[in-house]
Amino acid sequence: MEQQLAHGQRATVKRARQRATYEKAAIYRLIDDLKLGHIGFTWEDQLHVIPMTVWRVDDALYFHTINKSRLQRLLEAGGEVCISFAECQEWVLAKSAYHHSANYRSAVVYCRGRRVIDPQDFDRAFSVCINQFEAGRWDKVRPPSDQERKATALIELEIVEGAGKSRSGGPNEEPEDMSLPVWHGTVPVCPYHSET
């Protein structure tokens, strides 16, 4: 089995190449941890990006949509989608405005897909996702009804190519900035709190 994702010109990281990875293990870990991807595609000459639950079973990715959706029709017609995954862990505060940054993990994958028709394959893919939320949960919940199966298009995606990128550590500073009387370091990304 290939240990790296294919990465042609569109998937090769060009800026900050030292932060790039094409290793499946690192990219799959991010997808498994997040299960949320932003799917980009073109439909009727319009660009769209939609956040969706995306999960992995072996080397395939899956998402579900309403039956006969534009995403389903696009993929069944042989089209491709681009999916972005990203997680910001820390803000990196520097002594200069230019060197402020973020510590993150990200991945971009290009995929082709097909609708899953076989009921056993349908249940297997959904059970993996649900059991990742809580071990053994699929055996406790009600399985999809015939009506729910008919309304849902489960799409299996093949990753054509892709890349990951990440940053960790403290700020990169210019030597002449080190004497500036301003704190520098990393702070965790805080969740958003709405005002009451």
Side-chain angles (χ1 to χ4, degrees), residues 26-79:
I27 294 166
Y28 286 179
R29 190 176 316 112
L30 175 64
I31 294 168
D32 292 348
D33 287 348
L34 294 184
K35 292 183 190 59
L36 177 67
H38 289 77
I39 301 181
F41 62 100
T42 302
W43 182 256
E44 295 180 346
D45 297 322
Q46 295 290 317
L47 294 174
H48 304 275
V49 177
I50 302 175
M52 298 186 79
T53 302
V54 180
W55 70 98
R56 183 182 66 87
V57 180
D58 301 324
D59 282 329
L61 302 182
Y62 291 86
F63 74 91
H64 68 282
T65 182
I66 189 165
N67 193 13
K68 298 185 170 92
S69 71
R70 57 193 175 184
L71 262 175
Q72 175 193 347
R73 288 180 282 162
L74 171 76
L75 288 162
E76 287 184 331

Side-chain angles (χ1 to χ4, degrees), residues 8 82 107 110 115 120 130 142 160 162 181 183 188-189:
C82 177
Y110 299 87
R115 183 176 181 187
Q120 289 183 325
I130 289 174
R142 175 182 63 77
V160 177
W183 182 86
V189 173

Side-chain angles (χ1 to χ4, degrees), residues 112-180:
R112 285 189 293 260
R114 67 172 188 90
R115 183 176 181 187
V116 176
I117 301 298
D118 182 89
Q120 289 183 325
D121 292 341
F122 186 99
D123 285 356
R124 176 177 175 263
F126 271 111
S127 69
V128 167
C129 182
I130 289 174
N131 286 336
Q132 286 176 354
F133 296 140
E134 178 188 15
R137 187 170 183 81
W138 178 260
D139 294 328
K140 300 173 187 173
V141 300
R142 175 182 63 77
S145 67
D146 290 342
Q147 183 177 355
E148 290 166 339
R149 290 174 190 274
K150 195 172 184 180
T152 303
L154 174 64
I155 307 296
E156 179 186 72
L157 298 170
E158 171 199 1
I159 300 175
V160 177
E161 57 182 336
K165 195 174 177 184
S166 64
R167 186 198 191 281
S168 60
N172 298 319
E173 300 285 16
E174 301 297 337
E176 60 270 22
D177 293 335
M178 293 305 293
S179 62
L180 292 172

Side-chain angles (χ1 to χ4, degrees), residues 4 94-95:
Q4 289 196 337
K95 289 179 178 281

